[in-house]
Amino acid sequence: MGDERSGCLLGCGAQLINTKAQQQQQQQIKQTQELAFSTFCGVGQHMEASVSEGVHSSQLLSRADWGARAPKQVDYFTGPAPYVIIHHSYIPAACFNTPDCMRSMRDMQNFHQVDRGWNDIGYSFGIGGDGMIYTGRGFNVVGAHSPKYNDKSVGIVFIGDWRTELPPANMLQAAKDLIAFGVAQGYIDAAYKLLGHRQVRETECPGGRLFKEISSWPHFTNITTPPIALPALPSQHDLAKKV
């Protein structure tokens, strides 16, 4: 079964790799990403860059660190991502220590990969209340979080329900560090557009309070009408509200 889109399968506009040249190009992207992760991921490893790049020193944990299962399939897209899209998980609830946040990442992967039959956890990265950044699908990988944007964006989920409360400062800073790191490494376009999930589909996500916060961040783009004509599937947030 494919990944989440509005009435379509796998990646919202992503094309299957059919030519040898495309395969070689995608392999180069994969090797570059793996090199970056081998340098910057892992418990105790920090994202570091010059002060001029505006990156602090948040910790970026690998999939192996939080116990991710292997994806069923991985599809890549080329070039820096022109969009960064912010989500909240709603459920799992907020976590404030690393073991709990690792468990939340596994719970989200189980929900997406097992219950929904997607290839993997839908998001590119997760942000925990411990201030850690958790690698989901990663950079340049087609996601399953925002219809019509999955093959051109980095999807960042703040673990927890952020409708009325603001995420703690360490979570906000971790997200900013991740974006700055992505720009510095060429994974995110320097002129990227920052969006909340609710701007690209009908949902409360990323929660009213978090959305108000990111509305003040650099690169936030005001899109008043979601550019989606197809009927939307319910998000994890919306499904959880019905339980």
Side-chain angles (χ1 to χ4, degrees), residues 74-86:
V74 180
D75 294 284
Y76 298 93
F77 63 87
T78 59
Y83 296 96
V84 175
I85 301 180
I86 303 298

Side-chain angles (χ1 to χ4, degrees), residues 37 106 140:
F37 283 173
R106 293 192 296 270
N140 285 118

Side-chain angles (χ1 to χ4, degrees), residues 58-207:
S58 295
Q59 290 182 301
L60 174 60
L61 303 188
S62 71
R63 292 172 60 90
D65 289 330
W66 58 267
R69 285 190 306 275
K72 299 175 184 178
Q73 179 178 321
V74 180
D75 294 284
Y76 298 93
F77 63 87
T78 59
Y83 296 96
V84 175
I85 301 180
I86 303 298
H87 305 256
H88 76 165
S89 66
Y90 182 74
I91 292 175
C95 56
F96 297 102
N97 62 70
T98 300
D100 284 348
C101 292
M102 289 180 172
R103 186 178 304 110
S104 293
M105 289 296 292
R106 293 192 296 270
D107 287 346
M108 286 189 288
Q109 187 186 41
N110 286 338
F111 180 69
H112 292 170
Q113 195 178 49
V114 178
D115 294 353
R116 289 191 144 183
W118 298 354
N119 290 330
D120 198 357
I121 187 172
Y123 309 109
S124 307
F125 296 92
I127 306 293
D130 56 352
M132 300 286 190
I133 301 166
Y134 293 84
T135 302
R137 296 200 182 196
F139 293 113
N140 285 118
V141 178
V142 176
H145 56 85
S146 299
K148 291 195 175 182
Y149 289 83
N150 286 323
D151 62 346
K152 58 178 68 70
S153 67
V154 176
I156 302 172
V157 61
F158 284 69
I159 300 173
D161 174 4
W162 306 113
R163 293 174 297 169
T164 60
E165 296 183 18
L166 184 66
N170 62 345
M171 293 183 76
L172 301 175
Q173 188 61 57
K176 293 176 181 179
D177 287 351
L178 175 61
I179 294 170
F181 173 75
V183 171
Q185 296 296 314
Y187 294 122
I188 299 174
D189 194 298
Y192 71 90
K193 295 180 179 180
L194 179 69
L195 302 173
H197 188 201
R198 62 173 59 183
Q199 293 175 275
V200 299
R201 72 174 302 162
E202 294 184 6
T203 177
E204 281 189 303
C205 183

